Amino acid sequence: MRSILVTGAAGFIGSNFVRMLVNRAEPVKLVAFDKLTYAGNLANLDDLLKKDKHLVFVKGDICDQSTLERVWDEHGITEVVHFAAESHVDRSIISSGPFIHTNVVGTQVLLDVARAKKVDKFLQVSTDEVYGTLPYDQKEVMFTETTPLEPNSPYSASKAAGDCLVRSYFHTHHMPVLTTRCSNNYGPYHFPEKLIPLFVTNLMEGKKVPLYGDGLNIRDWLYVEDHCDAIWTVLNKGRFGEVYNIGGNNEITNRVITETILREMNCPWDQHVTYVQDRAGHDRRYAIDASKIKNELGWTPKHRFETAIKTTIQWYRDHEAWWRNVKSGEYLKYYETQYVNR
Ligand code: NAD
Ligand code: DAU
């Protein structure tokens, strides 16, 4: 049986990926591996761990070689899907150290163990942010897999470094690697420091929503289940050494995202939106050309934004205990630094 190590499995996308595989009842063993940083939450996996005997959870750090080796031997790992990362741009602006540690050093340690253990497949889950930013007024210009890497934040620089290491292990060591680069995800279990879950939960708490700069920055939004499905497609059908861009063909400004959420939650703009100081180095526009994964592997997104954003907002209404628990402790200190004391 395939035995897949899923790093960062207690985070937003990792837990959705595990959920997708458990619900599909694929005949695979899943080893959910996570350090449980502020962003990792075992509550994201609890119900799955109770219901699937092929799923196990291991608390561990991808920078810790001996723990990885032990897990490998114990569970006979054959493949790796590498989600684990420090993932929030704003936190990388406050302090970049943890990003270099996990996203660069952690990826190197994981690659070395995977190589020594002769892994069958290693999939690096990366981001469109490694390509930098796009012109606002040339809508035909999008990120392709050959767009040069021009990361602009410490977060995207650390992800680009991880991607370059993965590439180098293919060329130097002939490791069976795959890389995916996806646009902005939204959906259930999204940590409420990111735009959509922050705005939805702030409104539920009766707080204002902080829009950066002029609110006209553009992101290409993709429902998380579509991203997970694309990763599974690339893991099963992708060509080693290749990069596959994943996107929703769904460019939306932050203002329109905000209007959509406010409308859905019956909150008038004037009473609920506050423009705040822009993010330093804020990338203006991201847009993905996903024709390679479509033409080569037959993947296209299945969810429409208009419907999936409603499903997402409803999920936060139905899971108030989940996000109230997350928005406590360390989160409140971060919120003060990021939004109150700047
Ligand atoms: P997240 O912050 O929700 O989850 C990251 C997880 O990694 C957490 O559970 C955390 O505990 C774990 N982790 C962090 N450091 C670790 C370490 N040293 N060892 C083991 N586990 C560690 O992030 P996410 O949004 O789910 O993103 C997952 C991956 O997808 C990241 O690599 C990110 O760069 C990439 N990505 C995210 C998006 C997006 O829109 N969220 C889009 C494209 C790509
Ligand atoms: O593009 C993929 C990337 O998407 C992933 O690699 C990252 O891990 C993920 O966090 C996300 O990065 P962004 O910086 O685009 O996401 P975020 O939700 O932080 O911000 C989305 C947009 O909303 C961005 O233009 C900044 C703006 N924003 C964000 C926050 C948190 C606000 O206007 N106000 C806010 O409070």
Side-chain angles (χ1 to χ4, degrees), residues 11-13 34-35 37 40 61-62 83 87 102 126 155 159 185:
F12 165 45
I13 308 174
D34 201 294
K35 184 179 173 183
T37 66
D61 187 336
I62 55 164
F83 292 97
S87 69
T102 286
S126 192
Y155 160 68
K159 289 295 290 185
N185 286 212

Side-chain angles (χ1 to χ4, degrees), residues 12-13 85-90 99 125-130 143 153 155-156 159 181-185 190-199 202 209-221 252-255 257-258 274 276-279 282-286 288 334-335 338-339 342:
F12 165 45
I13 308 174
E86 289 295 334
S87 69
H88 192 34
V89 173
D90 291 325
F99 288 75
V125 180
S126 192
T127 169
D128 60 358
E129 300 204 9
V130 296
F143 296 134
S153 72
Y155 160 68
S156 54
K159 289 295 290 185
R181 295 194 179 128
C182 189
S183 59
N184 285 59
N185 286 212
H190 204 179
F191 194 88
E193 64 188 350
K194 311 282 168 60
L195 177 77
I196 289 179
L198 175 70
F199 281 21
N202 268 17
V209 298
L211 201 48
Y212 293 163
D214 61 7
L216 290 176
N217 299 65
I218 291 175
R219 299 291 182 264
D220 174 358
W221 292 93
I252 310 180
T253 64
N254 295 336
R255 267 199 222 173
I257 292 278
T258 307
T274 173
V276 298
Q277 189 188 339
D278 206 355
R279 172 185 280 174
H282 198 175
D283 284 337
R284 196 64 171 157
R285 172 177 165 245
Y286 302 147
I288 282 275
Y334 163 74
Y335 199 87
Q338 180 62 21
Y339 296 102
R342 61 191 260 171

